[in-house]
Amino acid sequence: MIFLSQSNSVFGWCPFALMAQPFCKLISICMLACYTCSQAIGGNPSLELITPSVGTRGSAFTVVAKGASLSKIRSVEFYGPGIRCERIDATKDEEATLYLSAEERCELGPHAFRLLGENGFSELRTLTISPFPTVLEEKDAEKQLVELNRTILGTLESDDVDVYQIQAKAGNRISAEAVGVRLGLSLLDTTLTLRDPSGHVLKRVDDTPMLNQDPSISVLAPVEGVYSIEITSAGANADADSQYALHIGNFPRPYSVFPLGVRAGTETEITFTASDNEPTDSFRQRVQFNAGLIGNRFIELKEGELLCPSPIPFRSNVYDQFYEDAVRPPMVVGAGVSPVEVDRDTKTLMAPVSINGVIRNVGEIDTFPFSVCQSGTVALEVFASRLGSLLDAVVEVRDPEGRVVSSGDDFDSHDPRLVFDAKADEKYSVSIRDKRKNSGATYCYCIEIASLQTSITAFLPRRNKLSQAGQTIAIPKGNRTLARVGVRRDRLEGDATLTFEGLSIGVGVDCPNVSNASFVVPAVFSASASAATSGSMVAVNASLKSVQSGTVSATGGFEQIVDLVNGPADAIYQLTSVDRLAVATVESVPYSIEIVRPQSPLSADGTLEITIQVKRDAGFDAPIDVTLPLLPD
């Protein structure tokens, strides 16, 4: 038996009108779920490593998965289209072979997936798609000659230096791009070195801003001959499982782009510069996002028939664009939109507006006057670091009298975000600078100024950022499992309703509304005894009712952020975000837990005796631990 008590002296004010039936139901749910969940997922597949972690677009390839409980996996579930699993060879618990194929139009870059077995889903991992054929590293070769536009798959251990050679004529482009941290497997910080035919170092690169911790090189060959590209671990702390992919060829590989922001539904000319030290080595290409694609996006960069192996990040919005510091204003076509060409010192920009610029000189501070069309709360957000810029931005907004209205440095990243009240037709100004007074062609930015937008998002709380435990749902057949589901509101108030679309046949969910005063509720997933062992990627939709009108005022989806590579001081070097919840129906467990319904409510300052009933299948006599993961208000 369990004794539950509530006291005003301990808990403060509590709603004691709670009746026995719903109280009993909630406690029953909590206790039942806490054990069935842990038992059900105890043997779920664990995916620690995949080798290789790169495949070629438009081809079939084989991947070896390593981990635990892999002999019972049934499928490979990708979060996006373009890759499918043709066959699985799983005869060992610690290893399985996956036969995959990528479509011709499969997106380049990382693709998130999980393995689905009889006991649930594995951890999330990523598989990277390259436009080039893959070549394995020759471990015994001191120097390996490779063809242009290939992806070499290798490993670095300790202070290894892998050397690859290519033939080039004078004036030919030589590009190399390492994928280490971005594979999502380990903190493999690599360094690239390019040597000319005489052995002299032409370029050595550690990090490239657009590629996180991964380096890239793109130069024009000064003479004809055989060039060497060396890759090594920057910290010499790599081990036998430290995988890398190295793209080598004559493909376009920009070091910086301008502008970072474009208007959706228009065609905009973008300048791509290959090197920070060689601004003349650049070219322009027209880029277009569909009108409905808003937010941080990626495009495939193509020069002739050659593709850049990694997509280029951009910001797509619906605002008028102002291009500051452009050598030649970008050409914009479509929807009657053209670049705003103004003298920023004399003419005021009208929000909503997107401002694109570059901090080119040491200590430079760019200042722009602006006004808003309608009085109210305004959001000003900088997009720089998130889009591959080196700028660590600091922004400041001043009112017509020159007083500081709002200022900021970092928000969720090195990019700041400000929220402040502004009056219509008054002249404000925004200034932006680099925190350390650095400058250069790669210190570009996109500032968006617009009325504050509201949002609502469903999520699963993460108890431990260093683990993926508890980020999938496993329901034993004929039983129930508890999950804590949260709602994140941005400048919204009201009760939120959660709905779950795409559940397997025989699976249901009982989820209460999320009251205006709460952000997490217990959701109980149940599976019928006849449900098949299966899994699905479920869309979790959130809708919110306005406190004032009682009508639906906002809707949103689901977001799950998964940290893949962590570093010192809990720094995150590689993460991914997915928009669906992995829910699996697994084999039944040999017991169930119920609560004997109390005959009276829990009174103020009182104690309530709760009796738990455990039903066991014949032959099952193992001990069962019962815990209470949460209590009602």
Side-chain angles (χ1 to χ4, degrees):
M1 290 182 293
I2 291 179
F3 291 89
L4 299 176
S5 65
Q6 286 185 322
S7 168
N8 284 330
S9 61
V10 177
F11 293 96
W13 182 88
C14 292
F16 293 112
L18 192 65
M19 294 304 294
Q21 182 173 347
F23 174 80
C24 170
K25 179 181 178 182
L26 181 56
I27 295 297
S28 171
I29 286 169
C30 296
M31 288 194 295
L32 168 70
C34 69
Y35 190 75
T36 58
C37 181
S38 62
Q39 175 76 2
I41 67 174
N44 62 328
S46 177
L47 180 56
E48 299 173 3
L49 185 70
I50 58 171
T51 307
S53 52
V54 178
T56 301
R57 168 192 274 177
S59 71
F61 50 92
T62 302
V63 170
V64 176
K66 297 182 179 180
S69 300
L70 299 181
S71 60
K72 296 183 179 181
I73 62 173
R74 296 186 169 189
S75 63
V76 182
E77 301 293 328
F78 286 91
Y79 280 86
I83 308 176
R84 64 180 180 272
C85 180
E86 307 290 355
R87 184 165 63 91
I88 297 174
D89 183 5
T91 57
K92 303 177 183 178
D93 261 1
E94 67 277 4
E95 186 175 295
T97 303
L98 314 177
Y99 298 86
L100 308 175
S101 63
E103 298 174 358
E104 289 285 352
R105 299 182 62 84
C106 180
E107 292 184 359
L108 300 179
H111 289 250
F113 73 95
R114 296 182 189 272
L115 300 181
L116 175 61
E118 292 182 1
N119 291 317
F121 282 98
S122 72
E123 300 92 340
L124 183 148
R125 301 296 177 203
T126 57
L127 175 71
T128 298
I129 296 299
S130 167
F132 308 134
T134 58
V135 177
L136 294 179
E137 168 198 9
E138 296 176 2
K139 278 294 185 182
D140 296 333
E142 182 179 349
K143 298 178 181 179
Q144 183 175 341
L145 186 66
V146 296
E147 296 182 53
L148 292 177
N149 303 316
R150 296 293 186 270
T151 299
I152 297 101
L153 307 177
T155 59
L156 289 172
E157 187 171 2
S158 187
D159 57 354
D160 282 354
V161 179
D162 292 347
V163 183
Y164 302 96
Q165 294 185 319
I166 59 171
Q167 181 77 39
K169 295 182 178 180
N172 287 169
R173 181 172 298 283
I174 299 175
S175 295
E177 177 192 324
V179 188
V181 174
R182 288 178 296 149
L183 291 179
L185 298 173
S186 64
L187 186 55
L188 178 61
D189 188 6
T190 54
T191 298
L192 288 181
T193 302
L194 175 65
R195 296 183 183 273
D196 66 15
S198 63
H200 292 120
V201 174
L202 280 180
K203 200 156 191 176
R204 178 176 285 119
V205 179
D206 184 359
D207 301 336
T208 303
M210 199 179 295
L211 303 176
N212 198 0
Q213 295 292 114
D214 293 336
S216 70
I217 291 173
S218 186
V219 301
L220 301 179
V223 298
E224 183 176 352
V226 176
Y227 289 77
S228 298
I229 298 164
E230 302 171 358
I231 181 171
T232 187
S233 170
N237 57 354
D239 57 33
D241 291 328
S242 296
Q243 298 181 43
Y244 68 82
L246 178 60
H247 308 296
I248 295 180
N250 58 350
F251 52 83
R253 177 59 268 175
Y255 190 74
S256 65
V257 300
F258 183 87
L260 293 179
V262 298
R263 180 164 181 160
T266 65
E267 189 177 69
T268 306
E269 275 191 334
I270 306 295
T271 299
F272 299 90
T273 303
S275 172
D276 194 32
N277 300 321
E278 302 174 35
T280 57
D281 183 12
S282 63
F283 61 95
R284 297 165 74 91
Q285 177 177 309
R286 291 191 176 187
V287 171
Q288 181 171 4
F289 289 102
N290 294 334
L293 298 179
I294 308 300
N296 294 344
R297 300 292 174 178
F298 293 88
I299 65 160
E300 292 184 5
L301 174 61
K302 193 172 185 180
E303 187 178 22
E305 295 301 316
L306 297 174
L307 275 170
C308 178
S310 296
I312 308 299
F314 278 98
R315 178 68 182 172
S316 175
N317 55 48
V318 294
Y319 310 135
D320 288 335
Q321 306 292 310
F322 170 51
Y323 300 109
E324 181 273 342
D325 202 44
V327 176
R328 178 161 63 94
M331 179 181 295
V332 182
V333 180
V337 180
S338 60
V340 180
E341 298 181 49
V342 301
D343 181 348
R344 60 178 178 177
D345 296 322
T346 59
K347 186 163 182 177
T348 302
L349 300 174
M350 185 60 68
V353 67
S354 175
I355 305 169
N356 293 274
V358 185
I359 303 295
R360 289 196 180 275
N361 302 308
V362 175
E364 176 181 331
I365 301 176
D366 289 351
T367 303
F368 307 92
F370 71 92
S371 293
V372 296
C373 298
Q374 185 177 358
S375 298
T377 305
V378 174
L380 183 151
E381 190 163 6
V382 175
F383 296 89
S385 175
R386 287 171 287 179
L387 302 178
S389 170
L390 281 177
L391 181 68
D392 186 359
V394 177
V395 292
E396 188 175 80
V397 174
R398 293 181 178 268
D399 66 12
E401 285 71 41
R403 295 170 299 200
V404 175
V405 174
S406 183
S407 62
D409 182 4
D410 301 342
F411 188 59
D412 286 337
S413 64
H414 285 308
D415 297 337
R417 180 176 185 262
L418 308 179
V419 176
F420 56 93
D421 292 329
K423 296 180 180 179
D425 301 326
E426 290 196 356
K427 186 176 180 179
Y428 297 85
S429 66
V430 55
S431 61
I432 183 169
R433 61 181 173 86
D434 183 73
K435 187 175 183 178
R436 296 172 179 80
K437 298 184 179 181
N438 293 329
S439 61
T442 55
Y443 288 78
C444 42
Y445 57 83
C446 171
I447 305 174
E448 292 182 1
I449 307 174
S451 297
L452 181 64
Q453 301 296 309
T454 58
S455 66
I456 179 172
T457 307
F459 67 98
L460 249 62
R462 293 191 292 174
R463 297 182 179 180
N464 183 359
K465 293 181 67 176
L466 301 181
S467 169
Q468 293 191 36
Q471 292 298 290
T472 64
I473 308 297
I475 319 162
K477 293 195 293 185
N479 224 314
R480 293 169 286 181
T481 292
L482 172 75
R484 301 177 70 191
V485 183
V487 171
R488 183 169 56 248
R489 304 173 178 88
D490 191 358
R491 301 279 171 165
L492 286 172
E493 290 187 353
D495 294 343
T497 301
L498 296 173
T499 57
F500 299 78
E501 297 181 3
L503 293 167
S504 300
I505 297 175
V507 175
V509 59
D510 182 5
C511 182
N513 289 343
V514 188
S515 69
N516 188 53
S518 304
F519 73 96
V520 174
V521 294
V524 181
F525 292 80
S526 60
S528 66
S530 60
T533 53
S534 62
S536 60
M537 299 296 185
V538 176
V540 184
N541 302 312
S543 60
L544 185 133
K545 287 187 177 181
S546 170
V547 174
Q548 291 78 17
S549 64
T551 59
V552 174
S553 59
T555 59
F558 177 79
E559 182 181 39
Q560 186 174 66
I561 297 174
V562 179
D563 299 331
L564 297 174
V565 179
N566 302 85
D570 291 338
I572 308 301
Y573 287 89
Q574 184 68 16
L575 56 80
T576 191
S577 175
V578 293
D579 60 0
R580 281 164 293 160
L581 174 63
V583 180
T585 306
V586 300
E587 291 298 334
S588 60
V589 291
Y591 62 88
S592 64
I593 302 174
E594 299 290 345
I595 298 282
V596 176
R597 179 178 300 172
Q599 299 302 308
S600 61
L602 176 60
S603 60
D605 298 316
T607 299
L608 185 65
E609 180 182 292
I610 298 294
T611 301
I612 302 172
Q613 287 185 341
V614 177
K615 298 179 180 179
R616 300 171 179 268
D617 289 357
F620 177 72
D621 57 3
I624 296 175
D625 293 327
V626 177
T627 60
L628 293 165
L630 53 84
L631 291 170
D633 294 334

